[in-house]
Amino acid sequence: MNPRGVDLMLRMSLSLADLASVRFAISPAWEVVASLRVLRDPGAHAVHLPWVSRHRAAVLAAPDLRQLHDLVIAPERKLPGFLAPAPHSPVAEPEAEFAAVRKTPAVVVRAELTAVYGDRLPASLSDLRRVPRRTLPVIVEQMRSYWNLALAPYWGRMRGILEGDVMFRARRLADAGPHRMFSELDPMISWSDDVLSVNRPNLDLHYELGGRGLVLVPSLFAWPNVFVKASEPWAPVLRYPTRGVGSMWLNDPPATDLAPVLGQARATLLAELTTPSTTTSLARRTGLAPSGVSAHLSRLVTAGLITRQRAGRLVFYVRTARGDTLLGD
């Protein structure tokens, strides 16, 4: 509470045009930013400790990540917006997002650095402010190196969980409307009188989105926080903790007791469907061939253990109540 007894909130007023332009997207560049912040303060992100224990020492000691480290970890509350632009496609690929970072106009880079650091810019970032066009490729290469080291080995499973969340939220939006969908994103988020509010301590901001729309980005490494970027020149983005984040680092082999009945591959696929997933994401996560995954999923559909649901051009597989019962969920 502030001294006047009024809750401090970050608020965004959404017009009908904004609501009509609400969309979901997945952002690998954001996961780079958010995961680096997890490494800075792992105690506040206990769900990711198995991953932290594997990568923290190597990442924080890497000399070739110094500028990226200072860009992401040094600021206490703000982040340079150009590090994670709003994704243009529902499932952005890492290289596409790195390319978008590289194309950031020099004037925007300088403005963001001033807004975040003021006159306390780390010495390692002086070239970025002085010659952004020459230095941005260096930053992007550091993002790529970090991605390959700490996130690429897990991207198949990460992407599957994030895709499942998008599928679930899109269904909630269609079934219950924006009021219910927004309110269910996170306990910190509420929706009333065309205003989307985020309960963030020490923030008292109000944005009029003015028809710019809103991109909703589920995130594994945002947990347990909600992040908003709504100031110009950026497309408004709200990043929230994805469903299923607790299952990300589970290593136990799934459904071994069902393997003798269903077969190991089908038992594994059924267990993986804790969130709706596509054939491609299941193949990445399990290491099975896509053609084999497709054949096994067809058998599971015939058995009534899963069902198909289409979202645009993508087909998601979802466990049925019968499948949940078989797994004891």
Side-chain angles (χ1 to χ4, degrees):
M1 303 287 284
N2 66 14
R4 293 174 295 174
V6 178
D7 288 336
L8 296 179
M9 291 273 185
L10 187 153
R11 297 177 175 86
M12 293 182 286
S13 294
L14 276 68
S15 65
L16 287 177
D18 293 313
L19 283 173
S21 300
V22 168
R23 62 185 178 88
F24 292 89
I26 294 169
S27 175
W30 168 254
E31 298 302 329
V32 166
V33 171
S35 62
L36 271 167
R37 288 203 145 192
V38 168
L39 292 177
R40 177 190 65 177
D41 187 15
H45 306 86
V47 72
H48 295 302
L49 287 180
W51 173 81
V52 169
S53 65
R54 295 172 205 159
H55 297 289
R56 186 169 191 261
V59 169
L60 296 186
D64 57 340
L65 298 178
R66 174 65 184 277
Q67 289 160 299
L68 180 62
H69 181 279
D70 286 347
L71 271 172
V72 172
I73 298 180
E76 287 300 319
R77 297 193 60 81
K78 294 183 179 180
L79 281 166
F82 62 82
L83 285 175
H88 291 293
S89 62
V91 185
E93 293 298 331
E95 285 302 324
E97 294 215 301
F98 297 158
V101 173
R102 185 169 181 162
K103 293 177 182 177
T104 307
V107 64
V108 173
V109 173
R110 292 191 179 102
E112 288 286 320
L113 293 177
T114 298
V116 171
Y117 296 96
D119 58 0
R120 298 183 178 181
L121 186 74
S124 67
L125 302 179
S126 60
D127 282 349
L128 182 59
R129 181 161 62 184
R130 186 172 58 86
V131 282
R133 301 308 306 154
R134 185 187 307 167
T135 313
L136 268 178
V138 176
I139 302 299
V140 169
E141 187 55 39
Q142 291 182 21
M143 294 179 74
R144 184 180 290 111
S145 295
Y146 170 75
W147 173 269
N148 290 334
L149 171 67
L151 296 181
Y154 314 103
W155 178 233
R157 188 168 184 83
M158 289 171 62
R159 180 172 170 170
I161 291 173
L162 295 169
E163 285 178 346
D165 184 275
V166 168
M167 177 68 178
F168 176 83
R169 306 297 181 184
R171 278 207 329 242
R172 293 300 292 154
L173 180 60
D175 293 344
H179 181 279
R180 180 68 62 84
M181 186 275 295
F182 281 132
S183 299
E184 291 177 352
L185 288 177
D186 190 85
M188 296 171 64
I189 299 172
S190 59
W191 168 262
S192 178
D193 298 326
D194 300 330
V195 175
L196 189 64
S197 300
V198 180
N199 187 359
R200 291 295 304 269
N202 304 318
L203 278 182
D204 189 14
L205 299 170
H206 194 138
Y207 294 101
E208 297 282 347
L209 298 192
R212 290 184 292 152
L214 182 64
V215 186
L216 301 175
V217 178
S219 172
L220 278 153
F221 287 99
W223 185 93
N225 298 312
V226 174
F227 296 86
V228 174
K229 180 170 67 175
S231 57
E232 300 280 4
W234 309 110
V237 179
L238 186 149
R239 300 168 175 118
Y240 63 91
T242 184
R243 298 170 74 250
V245 64
S247 66
M248 179 63 212
W249 311 115
L250 296 180
N251 294 319
D252 295 336
T256 54
D257 55 332
L258 291 178
V261 179
L262 297 178
Q264 184 62 54
R266 289 173 203 160
T268 297
L269 292 170
L270 188 62
E272 283 287 331
L273 287 171
T274 52
T275 57
S277 304
T278 64
T279 300
T280 301
S281 68
L282 287 168
R284 289 195 190 101
R285 283 146 54 188
T286 61
L288 298 171
S291 59
V293 170
S294 181
H296 290 309
L297 291 174
S298 294
R299 294 292 185 90
L300 292 171
V301 169
T302 302
L305 299 177
I306 64 174
T307 185
R308 298 183 183 93
Q309 296 188 6
R310 181 173 292 277
R313 292 178 296 175
L314 297 176
V315 175
F316 287 82
Y317 290 86
V318 184
R319 270 205 319 243
T320 63
R322 186 178 186 183
D324 287 340
T325 300
L326 186 62
L327 284 171
D329 289 355

Coordinates of all heavy atoms in Angstrom, one line a residue, residues 203-266:
L203 N 4.9 -0.1 -8.4 CA 4.6 0.4 -9.7 C 3.2 1.1 -9.7 O 2.2 0.5 -9.2 CB 4.6 -0.7 -10.7 CG 6.0 -1.2 -11.3 CD1 5.8 -2.2 -12.3 CD2 6.7 0.0 -11.9
D204 N 3.2 2.3 -10.2 CA 1.9 3.0 -10.3 C 1.9 3.7 -11.7 O 2.2 4.8 -11.9 CB 1.8 4.1 -9.2 CG 0.4 4.7 -9.2 OD1 -0.5 4.1 -9.8 OD2 0.2 5.7 -8.5
L205 N 1.5 2.9 -12.7 CA 1.5 3.3 -14.1 C 0.1 3.0 -14.7 O -0.5 2.0 -14.4 CB 2.6 2.6 -14.9 CG 4.0 2.8 -14.4 CD1 5.0 1.8 -15.1 CD2 4.5 4.2 -14.6
H206 N -0.2 3.8 -15.7 CA -1.5 3.6 -16.5 C -1.2 3.9 -17.9 O -0.8 5.0 -18.3 CB -2.6 4.5 -16.0 CG -3.9 4.1 -16.5 ND1 -5.1 4.1 -15.7 CD2 -4.3 3.6 -17.7 CE1 -6.1 3.6 -16.4 NE2 -5.7 3.4 -17.6
Y207 N -1.4 2.8 -18.7 CA -1.2 2.9 -20.2 C -2.5 2.9 -20.9 O -3.4 2.1 -20.6 CB -0.3 1.8 -20.7 CG 1.1 1.7 -20.2 CD1 1.5 0.9 -19.1 CD2 2.1 2.6 -20.7 CE1 2.8 0.9 -18.7 CE2 3.4 2.5 -20.3 CZ 3.7 1.7 -19.2 OH 5.0 1.6 -18.8
E208 N -2.7 3.8 -21.9 CA -3.8 3.7 -22.8 C -3.2 3.0 -24.1 O -2.3 3.6 -24.8 CB -4.3 5.1 -23.2 CG -4.9 5.9 -22.0 CD -6.3 5.4 -21.7 OE1 -6.9 4.7 -22.5 OE2 -6.8 5.7 -20.6
L209 N -3.6 1.8 -24.4 CA -3.0 1.1 -25.5 C -3.4 1.7 -26.9 O -2.6 1.5 -27.8 CB -3.4 -0.4 -25.4 CG -2.9 -1.1 -24.2 CD1 -3.1 -2.6 -24.3 CD2 -1.5 -0.8 -23.8
G210 N -4.5 2.4 -26.9 CA -4.8 3.1 -28.1 C -4.9 2.3 -29.4 O -4.4 2.8 -30.5
G211 N -5.4 1.1 -29.4 CA -5.6 0.3 -30.6 C -4.3 -0.4 -31.0 O -4.3 -1.0 -32.1
R212 N -3.3 -0.4 -30.2 CA -2.0 -1.2 -30.5 C -2.2 -2.6 -30.3 O -1.3 -3.4 -30.7 CB -0.8 -0.6 -29.8 CG -0.4 0.8 -30.2 CD 0.8 1.3 -29.4 NE 0.5 1.5 -28.0 CZ 1.5 1.3 -27.0 NH1 2.7 0.9 -27.3 NH2 1.1 1.6 -25.8
G213 N -3.2 -3.1 -29.6 CA -3.4 -4.5 -29.3 C -2.6 -4.9 -28.1 O -1.9 -4.1 -27.4
L214 N -2.5 -6.2 -27.9 CA -1.8 -6.8 -26.8 C -1.3 -8.2 -27.1 O -2.1 -9.0 -27.6 CB -2.6 -6.8 -25.5 CG -2.0 -7.3 -24.2 CD1 -0.8 -6.4 -23.8 CD2 -3.0 -7.5 -23.1
V215 N 0.0 -8.5 -26.9 CA 0.5 -9.8 -27.2 C 0.7 -10.5 -25.8 O 1.4 -9.9 -24.9 CB 1.9 -9.7 -27.9 CG1 2.4 -11.1 -28.2 CG2 1.8 -8.9 -29.1
L216 N 0.1 -11.6 -25.6 CA 0.2 -12.4 -24.4 C 1.2 -13.5 -24.6 O 1.1 -14.3 -25.5 CB -1.2 -13.0 -24.0 CG -2.3 -12.0 -23.8 CD1 -3.6 -12.7 -23.6 CD2 -2.0 -11.1 -22.7
V217 N 2.3 -13.5 -23.8 CA 3.4 -14.4 -24.0 C 3.6 -15.3 -22.7 O 4.0 -14.8 -21.7 CB 4.7 -13.6 -24.2 CG1 5.9 -14.5 -24.4 CG2 4.6 -12.7 -25.5
P218 N 3.2 -16.6 -22.8 CA 3.5 -17.4 -21.7 C 5.0 -17.6 -21.6 O 5.8 -17.7 -22.6 CB 2.8 -18.8 -22.1 CG 2.8 -18.7 -23.6 CD 2.7 -17.3 -24.0
S219 N 5.5 -17.8 -20.3 CA 7.0 -17.9 -20.1 C 7.2 -18.9 -19.0 O 6.6 -18.9 -18.0 CB 7.5 -16.5 -19.7 OG 8.9 -16.7 -19.3
L220 N 8.2 -19.7 -19.3 CA 8.7 -20.7 -18.2 C 9.5 -19.9 -17.2 O 9.3 -20.1 -16.0 CB 9.5 -21.8 -18.8 CG 8.8 -22.9 -19.4 CD1 9.5 -23.6 -20.5 CD2 8.4 -23.9 -18.4
F221 N 10.4 -19.1 -17.6 CA 11.3 -18.4 -16.7 C 10.8 -17.1 -16.1 O 11.5 -16.6 -15.2 CB 12.7 -18.2 -17.3 CG 13.5 -19.5 -17.6 CD1 13.5 -20.1 -18.8 CD2 14.2 -20.1 -16.5 CE1 14.2 -21.3 -19.0 CE2 14.9 -21.2 -16.7 CZ 14.9 -21.9 -17.9
A222 N 9.6 -16.7 -16.5 CA 9.0 -15.5 -15.8 C 8.6 -15.9 -14.4 O 8.5 -15.1 -13.5 CB 7.8 -15.0 -16.6
W223 N 8.2 -17.2 -14.2 CA 7.7 -17.6 -12.9 C 8.6 -17.2 -11.8 O 9.8 -17.3 -11.8 CB 7.6 -19.2 -12.9 CG 6.9 -19.7 -11.7 CD1 5.6 -20.0 -11.5 CD2 7.5 -20.0 -10.5 NE1 5.3 -20.5 -10.3 CE2 6.5 -20.5 -9.6 CE3 8.8 -20.0 -10.0 CZ2 6.8 -20.9 -8.3 CZ3 9.1 -20.3 -8.7 CH2 8.1 -20.8 -7.9
P224 N 8.0 -16.6 -10.7 CA 6.6 -16.5 -10.4 C 6.1 -15.1 -10.7 O 5.1 -14.6 -10.0 CB 6.5 -16.8 -8.9 CG 7.8 -16.2 -8.4 CD 8.8 -16.4 -9.5
N225 N 6.6 -14.3 -11.6 CA 6.3 -12.9 -11.8 C 5.6 -12.7 -13.1 O 5.5 -13.6 -14.0 CB 7.6 -12.1 -11.8 CG 8.3 -12.1 -10.5 OD1 7.7 -12.0 -9.4 ND2 9.6 -12.4 -10.5
V226 N 5.0 -11.5 -13.2 CA 4.3 -11.1 -14.5 C 5.1 -9.8 -14.9 O 5.4 -9.0 -14.1 CB 2.9 -10.7 -14.2 CG1 2.2 -10.1 -15.4 CG2 2.1 -12.0 -13.8
F227 N 5.4 -9.8 -16.2 CA 6.1 -8.6 -16.8 C 5.3 -8.0 -17.9 O 4.7 -8.6 -18.7 CB 7.5 -9.1 -17.4 CG 8.4 -9.7 -16.3 CD1 8.3 -11.1 -16.0 CD2 9.3 -8.9 -15.7 CE1 9.1 -11.6 -15.0 CE2 10.2 -9.5 -14.8 CZ 10.1 -10.8 -14.4
V228 N 5.4 -6.6 -17.9 CA 4.6 -5.9 -18.9 C 5.6 -4.9 -19.6 O 6.4 -4.3 -18.9 CB 3.5 -5.1 -18.2 CG1 2.8 -4.2 -19.2 CG2 2.5 -6.0 -17.6
K229 N 5.4 -4.8 -20.9 CA 6.1 -3.7 -21.7 C 5.0 -3.1 -22.6 O 4.5 -3.7 -23.5 CB 7.2 -4.3 -22.5 CG 7.9 -3.3 -23.4 CD 9.2 -3.9 -24.0 CE 8.9 -4.9 -25.1 NZ 10.1 -5.4 -25.8
A230 N 4.7 -1.8 -22.2 CA 3.6 -1.2 -23.0 C 3.9 0.2 -23.5 O 3.1 0.8 -24.1 CB 2.3 -1.1 -22.1
S231 N 5.1 0.7 -23.2 CA 5.5 2.1 -23.6 C 5.9 2.1 -25.1 O 6.3 1.0 -25.6 CB 6.6 2.6 -22.7 OG 7.7 1.7 -22.8
E232 N 5.7 3.2 -25.7 CA 6.2 3.4 -27.1 C 7.7 3.2 -27.1 O 8.4 3.5 -26.2 CB 5.8 4.7 -27.6 CG 4.3 5.0 -27.6 CD 3.6 4.4 -28.8 OE1 4.3 3.7 -29.6 OE2 2.4 4.6 -28.9
P233 N 8.3 2.7 -28.2 CA 7.6 2.4 -29.5 C 7.2 0.9 -29.6 O 7.0 0.4 -30.7 CB 8.7 2.7 -30.5 CG 10.0 2.2 -29.8 CD 9.8 2.6 -28.3
W234 N 7.2 0.2 -28.5 CA 7.0 -1.2 -28.5 C 5.5 -1.6 -28.6 O 4.7 -0.9 -28.1 CB 7.6 -1.9 -27.3 CG 9.0 -1.4 -27.1 CD1 9.5 -0.6 -26.1 CD2 10.2 -1.7 -27.9 NE1 10.8 -0.4 -26.2 CE2 11.3 -1.1 -27.3 CE3 10.3 -2.5 -29.0 CZ2 12.5 -1.2 -27.9 CZ3 11.6 -2.6 -29.6 CH2 12.7 -1.9 -29.0
A235 N 5.3 -2.7 -29.3 CA 3.9 -3.3 -29.2 C 3.7 -3.8 -27.8 O 4.6 -4.4 -27.2 CB 3.9 -4.5 -30.2
P236 N 2.6 -3.5 -27.2 CA 2.3 -3.9 -25.8 C 2.4 -5.5 -25.6 O 1.8 -6.2 -26.4 CB 0.9 -3.4 -25.5 CG 0.7 -2.3 -26.5 CD 1.5 -2.7 -27.8
V237 N 3.1 -5.9 -24.6 CA 3.3 -7.3 -24.3 C 3.1 -7.5 -22.8 O 3.5 -6.8 -22.0 CB 4.8 -7.7 -24.7 CG1 5.0 -9.2 -24.3 CG2 5.1 -7.5 -26.1
L238 N 2.4 -8.6 -22.5 CA 2.2 -9.1 -21.2 C 2.8 -10.5 -21.1 O 2.3 -11.4 -21.8 CB 0.8 -9.0 -20.7 CG 0.5 -9.4 -19.2 CD1 -0.7 -8.6 -18.7 CD2 0.3 -10.9 -19.0
R239 N 3.8 -10.7 -20.2 CA 4.4 -12.0 -20.1 C 4.0 -12.6 -18.8 O 4.2 -12.0 -17.7 CB 5.9 -11.9 -20.2 CG 6.3 -11.3 -21.6 CD 7.8 -10.9 -21.6 NE 8.2 -10.5 -22.9 CZ 8.7 -9.3 -23.2 NH1 8.8 -8.4 -22.2 NH2 9.1 -8.9 -24.4
Y240 N 3.5 -13.8 -18.8 CA 3.0 -14.4 -17.6 C 3.5 -15.9 -17.4 O 3.9 -16.5 -18.4 CB 1.4 -14.4 -17.6 CG 0.9 -15.3 -18.8 CD1 0.6 -16.6 -18.6 CD2 0.7 -14.7 -20.1 CE1 0.1 -17.4 -19.7 CE2 0.3 -15.5 -21.1 CZ 0.0 -16.8 -20.9 OH -0.5 -17.6 -21.9
P241 N 3.5 -16.4 -16.2 CA 4.0 -17.8 -16.0 C 3.1 -18.8 -16.7 O 1.9 -18.8 -16.5 CB 4.0 -18.0 -14.5 CG 3.9 -16.6 -13.9 CD 3.2 -15.8 -14.9
T242 N 3.7 -19.7 -17.4 CA 3.0 -20.7 -18.2 C 2.4 -21.8 -17.2 O 3.0 -22.0 -16.1 CB 3.9 -21.4 -19.2 OG1 3.1 -22.3 -20.0 CG2 5.0 -22.1 -18.6
R243 N 1.4 -22.4 -17.6 CA 0.9 -23.6 -16.9 C 2.0 -24.7 -17.2 O 2.6 -24.8 -18.2 CB -0.4 -24.1 -17.5 CG -1.5 -23.1 -17.3 CD -2.8 -23.5 -18.0 NE -3.5 -24.6 -17.4 CZ -3.6 -25.8 -17.9 NH1 -3.0 -26.1 -19.0 NH2 -4.2 -26.8 -17.3
G244 N 2.1 -25.6 -16.3 CA 3.0 -26.8 -16.5 C 4.4 -26.5 -16.2 O 5.3 -27.4 -16.5
V245 N 4.8 -25.3 -15.6 CA 6.2 -25.0 -15.4 C 6.8 -26.0 -14.4 O 8.0 -26.4 -14.5 CB 6.3 -23.6 -14.9 CG1 5.7 -23.4 -13.5 CG2 7.8 -23.2 -14.8
G246 N 6.0 -26.6 -13.5 CA 6.5 -27.5 -12.5 C 7.0 -28.8 -13.1 O 7.8 -29.5 -12.5
S247 N 6.5 -29.1 -14.3 CA 6.9 -30.4 -14.9 C 8.1 -30.3 -15.8 O 8.6 -31.3 -16.3 CB 5.7 -31.0 -15.7 OG 5.5 -30.1 -16.9
M248 N 8.6 -29.1 -15.9 CA 9.7 -28.9 -16.9 C 10.9 -29.7 -16.6 O 11.6 -30.3 -17.5 CB 10.1 -27.4 -16.9 CG 11.2 -27.1 -17.9 SD 10.8 -27.4 -19.6 CE 12.4 -27.8 -20.3
W249 N 11.3 -29.8 -15.3 CA 12.6 -30.4 -15.0 C 12.5 -31.8 -14.4 O 13.4 -32.3 -13.8 CB 13.4 -29.5 -14.0 CG 13.4 -28.1 -14.5 CD1 12.9 -27.0 -14.0 CD2 14.1 -27.7 -15.7 NE1 13.1 -25.9 -14.7 CE2 13.9 -26.3 -15.8 CE3 14.8 -28.3 -16.8 CZ2 14.3 -25.5 -16.9 CZ3 15.3 -27.5 -17.8 CH2 15.0 -26.1 -17.9
L250 N 11.3 -32.4 -14.5 CA 11.1 -33.8 -14.0 C 11.9 -34.8 -14.9 O 11.8 -34.7 -16.2 CB 9.6 -34.2 -14.0 CG 8.7 -33.3 -13.1 CD1 7.3 -33.8 -13.2 CD2 9.2 -33.4 -11.6
N251 N 12.6 -35.6 -14.3 CA 13.4 -36.6 -15.1 C 13.0 -38.0 -15.0 O 13.6 -38.9 -15.6 CB 14.9 -36.5 -14.6 CG 15.5 -35.2 -14.9 OD1 15.3 -34.6 -15.9 ND2 16.3 -34.6 -13.9
D252 N 12.0 -38.3 -14.2 CA 11.6 -39.7 -14.0 C 11.0 -40.2 -15.3 O 10.2 -39.6 -16.0 CB 10.5 -39.8 -12.9 CG 11.1 -39.5 -11.5 OD1 12.3 -39.6 -11.4 OD2 10.3 -39.0 -10.6
P253 N 11.3 -41.5 -15.7 CA 10.7 -42.0 -16.9 C 9.2 -42.2 -16.7 O 8.8 -42.7 -15.7 CB 11.4 -43.4 -17.0 CG 12.0 -43.7 -15.7 CD 12.3 -42.4 -15.0
P254 N 8.4 -41.7 -17.7 CA 7.0 -41.7 -17.5 C 6.3 -43.0 -17.7 O 6.7 -43.8 -18.6 CB 6.5 -40.7 -18.6 CG 7.6 -40.8 -19.6 CD 8.8 -41.2 -18.9
A255 N 5.3 -43.2 -16.9 CA 4.3 -44.3 -17.2 C 4.9 -45.7 -17.4 O 4.4 -46.4 -18.3 CB 3.4 -43.9 -18.4
T256 N 5.9 -46.0 -16.7 CA 6.5 -47.3 -16.9 C 5.5 -48.5 -16.6 O 5.6 -49.5 -17.2 CB 7.8 -47.5 -16.0 OG1 7.4 -47.3 -14.7 CG2 8.8 -46.5 -16.4
D257 N 4.6 -48.2 -15.7 CA 3.6 -49.3 -15.4 C 2.6 -49.5 -16.5 O 2.0 -50.6 -16.6 CB 2.9 -49.0 -14.1 CG 2.2 -47.6 -14.1 OD1 2.7 -46.8 -14.8 OD2 1.2 -47.5 -13.4
L258 N 2.5 -48.5 -17.4 CA 1.6 -48.7 -18.5 C 2.3 -49.3 -19.7 O 1.6 -49.7 -20.7 CB 0.9 -47.4 -18.9 CG -0.1 -46.8 -17.9 CD1 -0.5 -45.4 -18.4 CD2 -1.2 -47.7 -17.6
A259 N 3.6 -49.3 -19.7 CA 4.3 -49.7 -20.9 C 4.0 -51.1 -21.4 O 3.8 -51.4 -22.6 CB 5.8 -49.5 -20.7
P260 N 3.9 -52.1 -20.4 CA 3.5 -53.4 -20.9 C 2.2 -53.5 -21.6 O 2.0 -54.4 -22.4 CB 3.5 -54.3 -19.6 CG 4.4 -53.5 -18.7 CD 4.1 -52.0 -19.0
V261 N 1.2 -52.6 -21.3 CA -0.1 -52.7 -21.8 C -0.2 -51.9 -23.1 O -0.6 -52.4 -24.2 CB -1.1 -52.1 -20.8 CG1 -2.5 -52.1 -21.5 CG2 -1.1 -52.9 -19.5
L262 N 0.3 -50.6 -23.1 CA 0.2 -49.7 -24.2 C 1.4 -49.8 -25.2 O 1.4 -49.4 -26.3 CB 0.1 -48.3 -23.8 CG -1.2 -47.9 -23.0 CD1 -1.1 -46.4 -22.6 CD2 -2.4 -48.2 -23.8
G263 N 2.6 -50.3 -24.6 CA 3.8 -50.1 -25.3 C 4.5 -48.9 -24.8 O 3.9 -47.9 -24.4
Q264 N 5.9 -48.9 -24.8 CA 6.6 -47.9 -24.1 C 6.4 -46.5 -24.8 O 6.2 -45.5 -24.2 CB 8.1 -48.2 -24.2 CG 9.0 -47.1 -23.5 CD 8.7 -47.0 -22.0 OE1 8.7 -48.0 -21.3 NE2 8.4 -45.8 -21.5
A265 N 6.4 -46.5 -26.2 CA 6.2 -45.3 -26.9 C 4.9 -44.6 -26.6 O 4.8 -43.4 -26.3 CB 6.4 -45.5 -28.4
R266 N 3.8 -45.4 -26.7 CA 2.5 -44.8 -26.4 C 2.3 -44.4 -25.0 O 1.7 -43.4 -24.7 CB 1.4 -45.8 -26.8 CG 1.3 -46.0 -28.3 CD 0.3 -47.1 -28.7 NE 0.7 -47.6 -30.1 CZ 0.3 -48.8 -30.5 NH1 -0.4 -49.6 -29.8 NH2 0.6 -49.2 -31.7

